[in-house]
Amino acid sequence: MLRVSKITDHGIVILSNLASEPDGSTQSAREIAAEARLPLPVVSKTLKRLARAGILESHRGAKGGYALARSPAEITLADAITALEGPIGLMECSVHLGQCSHESTCTIRGPWQRVNDEIRASLERITISELLPTPGGDGELIPLRVASGDRRR
Amino acid sequence: MLRVSKITDHGIVILSNLASEPDGSTQSAREIAAEARLPLPVVSKTLKRLARAGILESHRGAKGGYALARSPAEITLADAITALEGPIGLMECSVHLGQCSHESTCTIRGPWQRVNDEIRASLERITISELLPTPGGDGELIPLRVASGDRRR
DNA sequence: TATTTACAGTACCGTACGGGTCCGATATCC
DNA sequence: GGATATCGGACCCGTACGGTACTGTAAATA
Ligand code: FES
Ligand code: FES
C-alpha cells in the first residue's frame, strides 16, 4: 500500500497537536496521549523517537514533558518520517547500494532513484504548520502548494 | 522508511525485464526468475498477482508463460504498486475513512489526503518504459520528467 | 488419449515490527 | 534530603507478511 508505518501516522498527529499549542509550551506524555486519544505506551514510544531525533525537546522530572524543538514551519513531513521510521527509500537499494542482490544486471536503479527523489521532495515541501487548521477560522484548512496541477485518475 | 513492499520491488524489476523483450513474447516463470536472478517461488507469486490484476497475460500448458498485457508505456508504477500491494494510501485513513480511531478530532486528514494525491500523481506519471535503458545506446537512461525543480536537502 | 509442461490456488513457516510492560534515571516540590 | 512526577531504555508478546511447498488444472504435443 505504500504506507508509512503506524507509528509515523501517530507521530504526525501528535506533532500537529503540539503545533496547535502556544509555542514553547510543554505537555506531558499523558496529556498528549489524552488529546490524541491514543494509548499512552504508543504515544510514549513515539515521543521518545521524536525527541531522540531532535524534533522534540524533552524535560524530565515533575512538570516535565515534551515541546517542539523548533517552529512547526521548520519541521517537514520528511523530517518526521525519517525520525520515526528511518531514511526515506522506496526500495532497498534507494537507501544504500549493495542491497539489491545484483545491481550489475539491474538497469532500473537510476530511474527509481529519481522517483524516490521526487517523492522525498514532495514530503520536504510540506511542513507541520501546513497541516493545521487556520488559527482564526475553525476547520478551514490551509491549501497546499501542490507541485503541479493535480491529476486524479 | 516509506518503502514499497519487497514483492513490489521484485515485481517492478520483473516488469522492466519483460518490457525489454520483444513485445508480445511470452516467457515462463522459470526463465523470468533466471533472468531476474531471484528464487522461483517468489517470482511465481509475484507473476500471479500481476496476472490477476490484468497487467500480465498468462498462458498455461506447455509453451505457456507470461507476457505483458499492454505496452510498457501504458503501465504506470502506480498500476504495478496497486496490483502488488493494494491501493496506494500513505495512512490508514487515506484509503477509506473510518479507520483512524476518531476522525472527528483529527484535523489533518484533508492535508494528508493532498500529500497522498501528490505522491500518487508522481507514481502515475512514470511508466515502465521510462525505467528501461534506451533501446539503442547501452546503459543510457531516459531522463524523467520531474514535477518541479528538485530541491535536495 | 497419454504425457509433459507450466500456471493457479491453498496452506504452511519463520522473521520483523507494532504494541505493551517494567524498571532505572532525573528534575521539581515540599 | 525525601517524595513525587515524568522521561529513557530494555525487554516481551502477538500479529502480519515475505518466503516456501504442495496439489490441482489447463494447454500443447506425440
Ligand atoms: S532494484 Fe535494487 S539495484 Fe535493481
Ligand atoms: S483521520 Fe486518520 S490521521 Fe486523522
Side-chain angles (χ1 to χ4, degrees), chain B residues 4-35:
Chain B
V4 300
S5 76
K6 210 83 175 291
I7 200 173
T8 301
D9 192 328
H10 298 151
I12 307 279
V13 174
I14 289 170
L15 283 176
S16 77
N17 280 348
L18 275 173
S20 63
E21 295 291 319
D23 55 48
S25 73
T26 69
Q27 281 186 302
S28 72
R30 187 178 308 272
E31 294 171 304
I32 294 171
E35 184 171 359

Side-chain angles (χ1 to χ4, degrees), chain A residues 91 93 100 103 106 108-109 112, chain B residues 9 13:
Chain A
M91 319 185 69
C93 40
C100 208
E103 301 169 2
C106 184
I108 69 175
R109 223 186 85 83
W112 251 128
Chain B
D9 192 328
V13 174

Side-chain angles (χ1 to χ4, degrees), chain A residues 20-69:
Chain A
S20 63
E21 296 291 318
D23 55 48
S25 73
T26 69
Q27 282 187 302
S28 73
R30 187 177 308 272
E31 294 171 305
I32 294 172
E35 183 171 359
R37 303 206 193 156
L38 288 171
L40 177 57
V42 177
V43 171
S44 184
K45 177 179 271 190
T46 307
L47 290 168
K48 287 173 193 171
R49 290 201 197 177
L50 289 171
R52 176 128 46 144
I55 293 179
L56 295 181
E57 297 271 353
S58 69
H59 298 285
R60 302 215 267 193
K63 293 290 289 176
Y66 294 92
L68 293 179

Side-chain angles (χ1 to χ4, degrees), chain A residues 9 13, chain B residues 91 93 100 103 106 108-109:
Chain A
D9 193 328
V13 174
Chain B
M91 322 185 68
C93 39
C100 208
E103 302 170 1
C106 182
I108 69 174
R109 224 186 84 84

Side-chain angles (χ1 to χ4, degrees), chain B:
Chain B
M1 290 201 220
L2 190 67
R3 289 201 46 238
V4 300
S5 76
K6 210 83 175 291
I7 200 173
T8 301
D9 192 328
H10 298 151
I12 307 279
V13 174
I14 289 170
L15 283 176
S16 77
N17 280 348
L18 275 173
S20 63
E21 295 291 319
D23 55 48
S25 73
T26 69
Q27 281 186 302
S28 72
R30 187 178 308 272
E31 294 171 304
I32 294 171
E35 184 171 359
R37 304 204 192 159
L38 288 171
L40 177 57
V42 177
V43 172
S44 185
K45 175 181 266 189
T46 307
L47 290 168
K48 287 174 193 171
R49 290 201 195 176
L50 289 172
R52 176 123 50 139
I55 293 179
L56 294 181
E57 298 270 354
S58 69
H59 298 286
R60 302 216 268 192
K63 293 290 288 177
Y66 294 91
L68 294 180
R70 54 186 190 269
S71 152
E74 310 254 321
I75 302 173
T76 68
L77 288 187
D79 291 335
I81 292 174
T82 303
L84 289 166
E85 59 186 55
I88 292 175
L90 261 64
M91 322 185 68
E92 204 67 50
C93 39
S94 296
V95 42
H96 34 29
L97 331 182
Q99 295 287 43
C100 208
S101 359
H102 47 285
E103 302 170 1
S104 46
T105 57
C106 182
T107 63
I108 69 174
R109 224 186 84 84
W112 250 127
Q113 199 71 29
R114 308 220 191 176
V115 177
N116 199 50
D117 286 345
E118 184 171 343
I119 288 177
R120 193 177 59 220
S122 291
L123 292 172
E124 283 171 354
R125 254 195 301 275
I126 318 272
T127 67
I128 297 296
S129 63
E130 290 175 276
L131 297 182
L132 300 176
T134 56
D138 61 342
E140 191 56 25
L141 296 171
I142 300 174
L144 289 180
R145 300 168 272 133
V146 185
S148 59
D150 52 332
R151 52 185 78 179
R152 307 296 159 89
R153 55 173 61 185

